Amino acid sequence: MGSVPTLSDVARKAGVSLATVDRVINGRPNVKARTTERVRAAMAELDYRPDPLAAGLARRKRYRFVYLLPVGTNAFMMDLANQIGGMSNWLSSNRASAETVFADVFEPGTLARAIDEIDRAVDGAAIIALDHPEVRAAVDRLVGDGVPVVTLISDAPASRRSRFIGIDNPSAGRSAGALMGRFSGGRTGSVAVLVGSLSLRDHVDRCFGFSQAIEREFPRLKILPVRETRDDRSLAQRETVELLQANDDLVGLYNAGGGNVGVAKAICAINGHNRPVVIAHELTPRSIEALKDGSYDAVLAQNPGHEARSAARILLASANGTSVIEEQERIRIDIFIRENLPA
Amino acid sequence: MGSVPTLSDVARKAGVSLATVDRVINGRPNVKARTTERVRAAMAELDYRPDPLAAGLARRKRYRFVYLLPVGTNAFMMDLANQIGGMSNWLSSNRASAETVFADVFEPGTLARAIDEIDRAVDGAAIIALDHPEVRAAVDRLVGDGVPVVTLISDAPASRRSRFIGIDNPSAGRSAGALMGRFSGGRTGSVAVLVGSLSLRDHVDRCFGFSQAIEREFPRLKILPVRETRDDRSLAQRETVELLQANDDLVGLYNAGGGNVGVAKAICAINGHNRPVVIAHELTPRSIEALKDGSYDAVLAQNPGHEARSAARILLASANGTSVIEEQERIRIDIFIRENLPA
DNA sequence: CTGAAAGCGCTTACAG
DNA sequence: CTGAAAGCGCTTACAG
């Protein structure tokens, strides 16, 4: 009738008990094939859909998830950690909770060890990974031990993680290249590229996309050899200053890594008229300020709140057998200029 | 110990029955002040948090929401309607459902009547509104009848709606202006602006922001008188063609309204080298194609899936007394160029 | 003003 | 291989 069919309706229609229907729905063993079929038929006929909220209540299980983040004071990662904290009410009203652990992500061995140390009793893990055999192996061990894993922001593509939650970095690099070309208004000269490390997949992918876009569409721009900053603000500042001094034809600077505090400081120090076009990554207090005061021209970003929540929704869905709205879990490459900064 | 306190724990600690605790939690009448206090104290001491899922189950109530959208074949609105459909599983697993009704939004009287016709038994309404006294009055009547209302995409600011879910249109216009200025690479000339209608707040707000940005930062660009397309593709095409013919110094075109099918067609028809910089709104099949083939340079967008879900979450929260993650409900102004188009 | 009891739609031992 | 019964954490009449 009007009202939604329940387990009891199915049981009655199939002429079996609640427990049996429960067994077939949840794929538990010990049901005769013919019985299974009768139940399936009844479910289909009634268009029965289990109520995940009631199931959660009855299961009296609470789900525990863990997020593995890099140590350090990186503004973006701190933002991410805050966003995870901000979900705690939502999680607990879904009988779940999240714990955050920190590890040195730059060193594969250390990261692998941190992954190995994750409590095998958790119901899911979101890991900021590294594309490295040791890390992949550690992820695979964790998955092998029955813990669903998603990678966050930085992927370990060949591993057994169920998903990667993050942006398409080559596309982000191409976007940076296209903006660089168009913002530099026809000028000819060189363009500098900074990364945290050339052994970080995401940074390298961004470089790759950037070069591709520049070479194909803006041959008037010449890309200088890439420099590494280790995402360190002082190092980033020093590199930027050197770059500015060594290249009087510098038209643009693309910071594909972290260290915006240092980069912005170096840019701010020079005369407004000679400033290169600067494009960087992630919305942080310093990069926002740089967009506002004109030292940065554009910032490419991924939304850490979205990523944190997406990981939680996906892990929760895999824990309690609910489903996910695919469209909602696609992480976009956000482009920010001064004018569309969030209020 | 470890486990989360429940209603029974509170009842036991306060020395009252479950029903009484329920009364104070949900603010129902008929509880002696002293009893209320005892219960409050017990809740505080145990750090009790009600379980909304269990409450939902016990309440045996299903929530009904209605979305009021404009009639017509507008690609963006169709996308929005699809996104609403795509939430049905999520809604039903939250004991809720959404129904979509269509009305002529361009005509205030008709829209007001459609609002008046909304079933007063629904638990919430999301309305694509219009900033007009008649519409405001109709929204206020609906709210007065006890139906929570959010406005979607287009606001009725002075009304009693609880929120507006959409973008900051003046900022979107400013963003368009900034991109227009930077993408036009120093050229001097005129810039055309198209809107659906000058009596639509969002379109006008975009124009306003656009003019502001151009006049302040790119005085080399002269803005032509705004033209109306009624968001109609043939009209939009005709206006674009005329604009191109009448202004041989045309540097850019900003379409702040709909009708991208017509605009893109007109742009495609002209020689690549003489093309103006074109910036438009919303990701639709045609605008995506135009970005890919180079006839459009940038598209500003709001994410209809995000907006549909945000409305649902907010209405659901107000219906069942749960809370919302504010950060998640902020609708961003997306900037798309060819390179960061979603896959 | 307060409480005992039934029930929401499931799952979980346990008995057979 | 199957079912009866208790229980998850709440709310809702109903009785007092």
Side-chain angles (χ1 to χ4, degrees):
Chain A
M1 290 286 298
S3 84
V4 181
T6 71
L7 239 213
S8 317
D9 297 323
V10 178
R12 193 174 324 114
K13 168 144 257 161
V16 298
S17 72
L18 291 179
T20 297
V21 180
D22 177 72
R23 287 184 185 102
V24 353
I25 287 174
N26 295 291
R28 302 186 224 284
N30 299 331
V31 187
K32 240 201 307 196
R34 277 213 33 226
T35 312
T36 303
E37 258 179 33
R38 281 226 308 285
V39 174
R40 288 254 159 75
M43 295 201 306
E45 209 170 326
L46 295 170
D47 189 28
Y48 169 71
R49 301 158 172 289
D51 181 334
L53 276 52
L57 181 57
R59 264 198 270 264
R60 60 185 92 177
K61 158 127 178 93
R62 301 192 68 87
Y63 303 107
R64 284 173 52 214
F65 304 124
V66 49
Y67 285 76
L68 181 56
L69 309 188
V71 286
T73 55
N74 181 315
F76 174 78
M77 291 301 170
M78 288 174 62
D79 192 355
L80 183 64
N82 284 334
Q83 299 287 350
I84 295 167
M87 288 190 307
S88 70
N89 278 332
W90 179 80
L91 280 168
S92 86
S93 72
N94 281 282
R95 306 163 196 298
S97 62
E99 170 189 0
T100 306
V101 309
F102 295 90
D104 184 347
V105 176
F106 273 73
E107 217 285 286
T110 317
L111 175 55
R113 226 163 305 123
I115 295 172
D116 283 334
E117 273 161 15
I118 288 176
D119 182 354
R120 268 39 190 175
V122 300
D123 301 286
I127 299 178
I128 310 226
L130 215 54
D131 189 6
H132 185 100
E134 276 190 67
V135 173
R136 170 163 48 68
V139 167
D140 288 354
R141 281 191 290 277
L142 184 55
V143 174
D145 289 342
V147 178
V149 171
V150 295
T151 48
L152 201 60
I153 294 156
S154 172
D155 196 13
S159 74
R160 293 169 61 199
R161 93 281 188 277
S162 61
R163 299 213 190 199
F164 168 55
I165 300 168
I167 60 171
D168 176 341
N169 284 297
S171 288
R174 279 192 290 273
S175 304
L179 292 173
M180 181 65 79
R182 308 221 44 177
F183 280 3
S184 56
R187 267 177 290 160
T188 295
S190 55
V191 172
V193 178
L194 256 29
V195 296
S197 156
L198 283 169
S199 62
L200 286 176
R201 232 282 112 66
D202 22 353
H203 292 195
V204 173
D205 281 352
R206 289 171 190 171
C207 277
F208 162 74
F210 183 77
S211 305
Q212 215 177 45
I214 293 287
E215 281 165 15
R216 201 171 44 199
E217 303 197 48
F218 305 99
R220 59 181 162 80
L221 299 178
K222 203 175 85 281
I223 300 183
L224 299 171
V226 174
R227 299 190 175 212
E228 297 182 84
T229 67
R230 315 210 53 216
D231 289 353
D232 177 89
R233 56 183 69 175
S234 347
L235 212 49
Q237 184 176 0
R238 200 175 325 143
E239 292 290 352
T240 306
V241 170
E242 277 183 34
L243 244 9
L244 291 165
Q245 287 172 341
N247 303 277
D248 52 0
D249 71 335
L250 194 74
V251 169
L253 170 65
Y254 174 40
N255 180 17
N260 280 318
V261 173
V263 174
K265 202 164 171 189
I267 298 292
C268 262
I270 60 179
N271 188 306
H273 280 283
N274 303 325
R275 277 187 195 164
V277 172
V278 181
I279 299 179
H281 276 265
E282 309 315 349
L283 233 40
T284 63
R286 193 61 185 89
S287 72
I288 291 173
E289 195 191 327
L291 279 177
K292 286 186 177 161
D293 71 21
S295 38
Y296 277 16
D297 296 88
V299 165
L300 301 184
Q302 49 194 322
N303 186 323
H306 188 187
E307 295 177 315
R309 290 186 290 273
S310 183
R313 281 190 295 259
I314 289 166
L315 292 176
L316 189 60
S318 95
N320 67 13
T322 55
S323 64
V324 129
I325 302 177
E326 279 306 327
E327 220 269 335
Q328 185 173 18
E329 312 308 347
R330 217 154 287 153
I331 310 297
R332 305 218 164 170
I333 300 166
D334 296 326
I335 296 178
F336 289 104
I337 56 179
R338 191 194 339 163
E339 286 74 12
N340 74 329
L341 243 17
Chain B
M1 285 301 298
S3 84
V4 182
T6 69
L7 238 212
S8 318
D9 298 322
V10 177
R12 193 174 327 114
K13 167 145 257 159
V16 298
S17 72
L18 292 179
T20 297
V21 180
D22 178 72
R23 287 184 186 104
V24 353
I25 287 174
N26 294 292
R28 303 187 223 283
N30 299 330
V31 187
K32 238 201 307 196
R34 276 213 35 225
T35 311
T36 303
E37 260 179 30
R38 282 226 307 287
V39 174
R40 289 254 159 75
M43 295 201 306
E45 209 170 327
L46 295 169
D47 188 28
Y48 169 72
R49 302 159 171 288
D51 181 335
L53 275 51
L57 181 57
R59 265 198 268 265
R60 57 186 95 176
K61 158 123 177 97
R62 300 191 68 87
Y63 304 106
R64 283 174 52 214
F65 305 123
V66 51
Y67 285 75
L68 181 56
L69 309 188
V71 286
T73 55
N74 180 316
F76 175 78
M77 292 301 170
M78 288 174 62
D79 192 356
L80 184 64
N82 283 335
Q83 299 287 350
I84 296 168
M87 288 190 307
S88 70
N89 278 332
W90 180 81
L91 280 168
S92 88
S93 72
N94 282 282
R95 309 166 193 296
S97 62
E99 171 190 359
T100 306
V101 308
F102 295 90
D104 185 347
V105 175
F106 273 71
E107 217 285 286
T110 316
L111 175 55
R113 226 163 305 122
I115 295 172
D116 283 333
E117 273 161 15
I118 288 176
D119 182 353
R120 267 40 190 175
V122 300
D123 301 287
I127 299 177
I128 309 224
L130 215 53
D131 189 6
H132 185 99
E134 275 190 68
V135 173
R136 171 164 48 69
V139 167
D140 288 353
R141 282 191 290 277
L142 184 55
V143 174
D145 288 343
V147 178
V149 172
V150 297
T151 47
L152 201 59
I153 294 155
S154 172
D155 196 13
S159 74
R160 293 169 60 198
R161 92 280 188 280
S162 61
R163 300 211 188 200
F164 168 56
I165 299 168
I167 60 170
D168 176 341
N169 284 297
S171 288
R174 278 192 290 274
S175 304
L179 291 173
M180 181 65 78
R182 308 221 44 175
F183 280 4
S184 56
R187 267 177 289 160
T188 295
S190 55
V191 172
V193 178
L194 256 29
V195 295
S197 157
L198 283 169
S199 61
L200 287 176
R201 232 282 110 69
D202 23 354
H203 292 194
V204 172
D205 280 352
R206 289 171 190 172
C207 277
F208 161 75
F210 183 78
S211 305
Q212 215 177 44
I214 293 287
E215 281 165 14
R216 200 170 44 198
E217 305 196 46
F218 305 98
R220 59 182 162 78
L221 299 179
K222 203 175 85 278
I223 300 182
L224 299 171
V226 175
R227 298 192 176 211
E228 297 183 84
T229 67
R230 314 211 53 216
D231 288 353
D232 176 89
R233 56 183 69 176
S234 347
L235 212 49
Q237 184 177 358
R238 200 176 324 142
E239 292 290 352
T240 306
V241 170
E242 276 183 34
L243 243 9
L244 290 164
Q245 288 173 342
N247 304 276
D248 52 0
D249 71 336
L250 194 73
V251 169
L253 170 66
Y254 174 40
N255 180 18
N260 279 318
V261 172
V263 173
K265 203 165 171 189
I267 297 291
C268 263
I270 61 178
N271 188 306
H273 281 284
N274 303 325
R275 276 187 196 163
V277 172
V278 182
I279 298 178
H281 276 264
E282 310 315 348
L283 233 40
T284 63
R286 194 60 186 88
S287 72
I288 290 173
E289 197 191 327
L291 280 177
K292 286 185 176 160
D293 71 21
S295 39
Y296 278 15
D297 296 88
V299 164
L300 301 184
Q302 49 194 324
N303 186 323
H306 188 187
E307 296 177 315
R309 290 185 289 273
S310 184
R313 282 190 295 259
I314 289 166
L315 292 176
L316 188 60
S318 96
N320 67 14
T322 56
S323 65
V324 130
I325 302 177
E326 280 306 328
E327 221 269 336
Q328 185 172 17
E329 311 308 347
R330 216 154 288 155
I331 310 297
R332 304 218 164 169
I333 300 166
D334 297 326
I335 296 178
F336 289 105
I337 57 179
R338 191 194 340 160
E339 286 75 11
N340 74 330
L341 243 19

